Amino acid sequence: MNTWSTYAIPDEAGVASMLKGKPLSPQTWRLDQASYPDFSVPQNVRPCCAFGDMQKVKLGPIPIPFFRLNNVIEIDDLGPHKFASGIYYYTPSSASALSIAGGENNGLLYAKHGGFIDLAHIRDTADDTIALFFEILANLGKAHRIELPAELGPRYIELKAFDTSTLSDEQKWQLSAHLAARLAYFKAESHEIAQWHGYSSFSRWPETISAYSIEDLYSNMLGAKLTLALIQQRKMLSEIQYNQNLTLWLNASLRELGAVDKSQAKDVLSAVDGVWWSSQEAIPNKYMVLKRHYGLGDQQVPYLLPQVLVGDDQNSDMFKLATSAPTVLSLPAMVEGLELDKIALLVLEIAPDYTSTFSHIPEAIWSDRIDHTQFPIIAEYAEQQDRIDLKVLGVIGE
């Protein structure tokens, strides 16, 4: 994917104010549409972490001896962000906002106000947001289709035609930014659905274990909100500016959420072993993960360490983690007086190869197409089916 760089054009009033020594408004400039970057949404997702710690791994039916997957990181391990980095990309220290060289070093961390957070999910949705923004801004108010990478079948965004003549340039900017963040987040929801229904990024390596994992969508929404903030502040006019500012904002946000060190995160994973995940099962067994998050939608609440698992010692670090207040994330459904779901929809169509995985859902819901307003219904049916499966396995009651 090509790098990008765009530029701002000052308006006449702004230039006149500058020449006369008058204060400049932060809104006295605009982007030249001819300079909008021309790229598509990243075609691949970063490898993410299966929930748990030091999990056993099986290749097909065969366990891999003496191998455990170490997912857990802490904030000081984070590397510089790279737009659409894929599996690995090396950033020199001269290009890093934190003067740290290396790859992104993604993994799973725990924050006292944000629960478990998957760095790959944050970065993927952040990148999707910036990629969608420029195409939405260029086509706002027009009937337009944005193609997305297919998973269960064709996947795309439908922009609807509407009158933008009464909107200022700043209002169009804000509207496009919020649409980009919201649709990037719903793209992440569609990926959770796809994983549950058998889609896999890598052939012969099932991803059902990761579907509706409790940390995923909170992380995705955090990524959308980070890039939304950068767009609103115009801190993303080139790829290097975007990478550097996202690195800084990601680091600061994780600190604000109360990211703990690696040993504490491992203690939390140990405390929820047998409740949220099972160390007795191996990757990629779907039911190595015992608790899933089916609550799709534009408000996400993190899963914090349950107090019932840590006892009553109010002076212990674990008790303090379990009694921390959660930071709830949300994306607005209305901006500039407009209902965003009436302006744009993310659509998923089901290819014949996957229709059998929808047999537990009434055909009228999914046979034509599914848009993001229906995703919570699909997740409810997934939850019902998982409860049946877990009961058969003797893990939980109905």
Side-chain angles (χ1 to χ4, degrees):
M1 183 173 292
N2 294 329
T3 186
W4 81 85
S5 179
T6 185
Y7 51 85
I9 299 176
D11 62 13
E12 293 180 1
V15 174
S17 294
M18 178 274 295
L19 293 174
K20 295 176 181 178
K22 295 180 179 180
L24 284 177
S25 164
Q27 311 303 338
T28 57
W29 61 275
R30 62 181 176 84
L31 292 187
D32 181 4
Q33 187 167 334
S35 75
Y36 289 1
D38 181 18
F39 54 69
S40 60
V41 170
Q43 298 299 295
N44 299 302
V45 296
R46 293 167 173 84
C48 61
C49 297
F51 187 78
D53 180 36
M54 300 302 290
Q55 304 100 319
K56 297 176 285 187
V57 179
K58 288 197 304 183
L59 186 60
I62 305 171
I64 302 177
F66 312 118
F67 180 83
R68 295 293 185 274
L69 191 62
N70 187 6
N71 288 334
V72 183
I73 64 170
E74 57 189 53
I75 197 166
D76 291 337
D77 297 330
L78 266 64
H81 184 79
K82 172 64 175 70
F83 175 76
S85 69
I87 294 177
Y88 183 75
Y89 182 90
Y90 183 89
T91 298
S93 59
S94 60
S96 168
L98 298 175
S99 299
I100 299 173
E104 292 180 337
N105 196 26
N106 295 316
L108 198 67
L109 56 74
Y110 187 84
K112 63 177 66 176
H113 304 295
F116 286 103
I117 294 174
D118 190 315
L119 272 297
H121 280 253
I122 293 177
R123 297 185 194 272
D124 279 342
T125 305
D127 287 353
D128 286 341
T129 301
I130 192 64
L132 288 172
F133 169 70
F134 288 106
E135 187 162 0
I136 292 172
L137 183 62
N139 293 283
L140 190 69
K142 306 172 187 174
H144 180 72
R145 175 161 160 161
I146 302 175
E147 297 292 343
L148 302 174
E151 290 192 344
L152 295 178
R155 193 169 49 151
Y156 50 90
I157 288 168
E158 281 185 349
L159 298 181
K160 306 293 181 66
F162 69 100
D163 182 14
T164 62
S165 61
T166 61
L167 298 175
S168 67
D169 287 345
E170 174 62 18
Q171 288 174 318
K172 292 175 184 177
W173 183 277
Q174 292 295 334
L175 190 55
S176 299
H178 281 283
L179 281 170
R182 188 171 176 84
L183 292 165
Y185 167 74
F186 287 126
K187 176 177 177 285
E189 286 195 345
S190 75
H191 184 65
E192 299 296 312
I193 292 170
Q195 288 180 313
W196 194 95
H197 287 272
Y199 171 80
S200 178
S201 304
F202 304 98
S203 61
R204 300 184 181 180
W205 187 260
E207 296 183 18
T208 51
I209 187 174
S210 295
Y212 301 109
S213 193
I214 62 169
E215 75 282 10
D216 286 356
L217 292 181
Y218 187 86
S219 304
N220 290 119
M221 186 170 285
L222 178 56
K225 289 179 71 69
L226 286 171
T227 298
L228 173 60
L230 298 189
I231 295 170
Q232 290 177 318
Q233 297 180 76
R234 278 73 168 179
K235 292 185 175 181
M236 31 48 77
L237 299 187
S238 70
E239 182 178 337
I240 190 168
Q241 185 187 40
Y242 166 75
N243 288 337
Q244 291 179 340
N245 282 311
L246 190 70
T247 297
L248 294 171
W249 272 73
L250 174 57
N251 190 286
S253 297
L254 293 174
R255 293 187 188 280
E256 180 69 20
L257 287 170
V260 303
D261 62 34
K262 187 182 299 186
S263 63
Q264 283 184 294
K266 284 177 170 285
D267 287 343
V268 177
L269 281 168
S270 179
V272 298
D273 185 6
V275 181
W276 288 1
W277 71 290
S278 173
S279 59
Q280 302 305 305
E281 300 295 336
I283 295 173
N285 180 355
K286 175 179 178 177
Y287 291 112
M288 188 207 78
V289 174
L290 301 174
K291 185 175 183 62
R292 298 180 190 274
H293 173 64
Y294 305 95
L296 277 54
D298 54 19
Q299 177 173 290
Q300 292 296 313
V301 181
Y303 287 80
L304 303 185
L305 174 65
Q307 186 178 341
V308 68
L309 299 179
V310 302
D312 299 321
D313 183 0
Q314 298 184 14
N315 295 316
S316 73
D317 290 338
M318 294 290 277
F319 183 89
K320 292 175 183 177
L321 289 181
T323 54
S324 298
T327 296
V328 179
L329 301 181
S330 63
L331 292 167
M334 292 194 67
V335 175
E336 304 295 345
L338 296 168
E339 190 174 344
L340 299 187
D341 290 348
K342 291 184 177 179
I343 296 174
L345 291 173
L346 189 141
V347 179
L348 177 64
E349 296 180 6
I350 309 304
D353 287 349
Y354 293 100
T355 56
S356 63
T357 69
F358 284 79
S359 61
H360 62 296
I361 305 175
E363 191 171 344
I365 294 176
W366 57 268
S367 60
D368 180 23
R369 64 183 216 163
I370 309 165
D371 68 57
H372 72 255
T373 66
Q374 299 169 292
F375 288 175
I377 299 171
I378 303 298
E380 288 178 8
Y381 280 100
E383 180 178 16
Q384 293 172 17
Q385 187 62 49
D386 284 344
R387 287 187 177 277
I388 293 170
D389 292 348
L390 286 168
K391 185 178 181 182
V392 170
L393 292 170
V395 178
I396 61 171
E398 202 166 27

